[in-house]
Amino acid sequence: MQTILLDTVIPQQDKKLTSIYNTEARQIVHLQLSANQEIPTHKSPKHVFIVVKIGKVAFTVSDQEIILSPNEVLIMEPDEFHSLKALEDTSILVIKS
């Protein structure tokens, strides 16, 4: 068993990406963005689960925008193109499986 404490300090200039778990089958990443930071369009060959911990973030998935707030989960299929923009200082978990 292992526990991990997630940092809640949002960076003011650069995004902060912390790998929590990484195997060939799955990945868990803690992503922190300050307000107005963006991640350009990309895709993953795996299912992607986004869990918002803090803040508000706009995701564009296959040309459809959705606004996510804390405790909301977004599920994306493999190879779905997506991008995001932090509308507030944001902390999210990205789970790929």
Side-chain angles (χ1 to χ4, degrees):
M1 180 170 62
Q2 180 181 7
T3 62
I4 299 170
L5 179 62
L6 299 177
D7 187 8
T8 57
V9 177
I10 306 296
Q12 292 306 307
Q13 294 183 356
D14 294 325
K15 69 182 179 207
K16 183 175 179 184
L17 195 65
T18 305
S19 178
I20 296 171
Y21 183 82
N22 192 2
T23 67
E24 189 173 322
R26 64 191 49 87
Q27 301 168 318
I28 302 174
V29 173
H30 183 212
L31 174 62
Q32 295 169 282
L33 301 168
S34 58
N36 297 314
Q37 284 188 314
E38 298 183 47
I39 305 285
T41 302
H42 61 285
K43 66 179 181 173
S44 170
K46 299 178 180 179
H47 283 91
V48 179
F49 303 84
I50 303 294
V51 181
V52 179
K53 294 174 49 9
I54 297 169
K56 191 178 284 187
V57 62
F59 267 85
T60 302
V61 181
S62 301
D63 296 324
Q64 182 179 3
E65 185 176 82
I66 183 168
I67 307 296
L68 297 175
S69 297
N71 300 317
E72 291 186 307
V73 178
L74 171 64
I75 301 169
M76 291 178 278
E77 297 296 320
D79 296 320
E80 275 195 292
F81 283 99
H82 57 280
S83 61
L84 61 135
K85 179 179 181 180
L87 303 177
E88 301 174 354
D89 289 351
T90 302
S91 172
I92 63 176
L93 290 177
V94 180
I95 302 160
K96 297 178 183 180
S97 180

